[in-house]
Amino acid sequence: RYELYAADFADELSFLSGVLMWRQAEFALACVERLSGAGGGAAVGVVGHSVGGGVARALLALPSYRAGSVAYIIALAAPLAAPPLAPQS
């Protein structure tokens, strides 16, 4: 049995701002923690498209990330090697 949830960043252009990307990663991590807690501590799978894939990967680098709370990340058409534009700090 799978339950699916979606997070929408309301068309925020995170690829233009590193600060915005980290804020989105913090929001995504809060979602992961909430879903993991609701599932009895089970790890959560995360899927991100485009820059959302980078946001998903960035949440793993946050100091508050709890190891093992993310089972996998699927990044679809995500610029993981380099951002499409040089982000601002």
Side-chain angles (χ1 to χ4, degrees):
R1 178 172 163 234
Y2 291 95
E3 294 183 18
L4 302 174
Y5 300 90
D8 184 357
F9 297 122
D11 297 323
E12 290 181 320
L13 300 175
S14 58
F15 67 89
L16 294 176
S17 168
V19 172
L20 186 55
M21 186 206 64
W22 286 111
R23 191 174 80 210
Q24 291 174 346
E26 289 170 355
F27 174 76
L29 180 58
C31 293
V32 165
E33 290 171 348
R34 177 80 182 242
L35 293 171
S36 179
V44 175
V46 178
V47 178
H49 174 257
S50 188
V51 177
V55 169
R57 186 177 71 171
L59 73 85
L60 301 176
L62 292 171
S64 56
Y65 170 72
R66 184 176 49 84
S69 61
V70 173
Y72 58 85
I73 291 176
I74 298 174
L76 304 166
L80 298 179
L85 297 173
Q88 302 294 320
S89 298

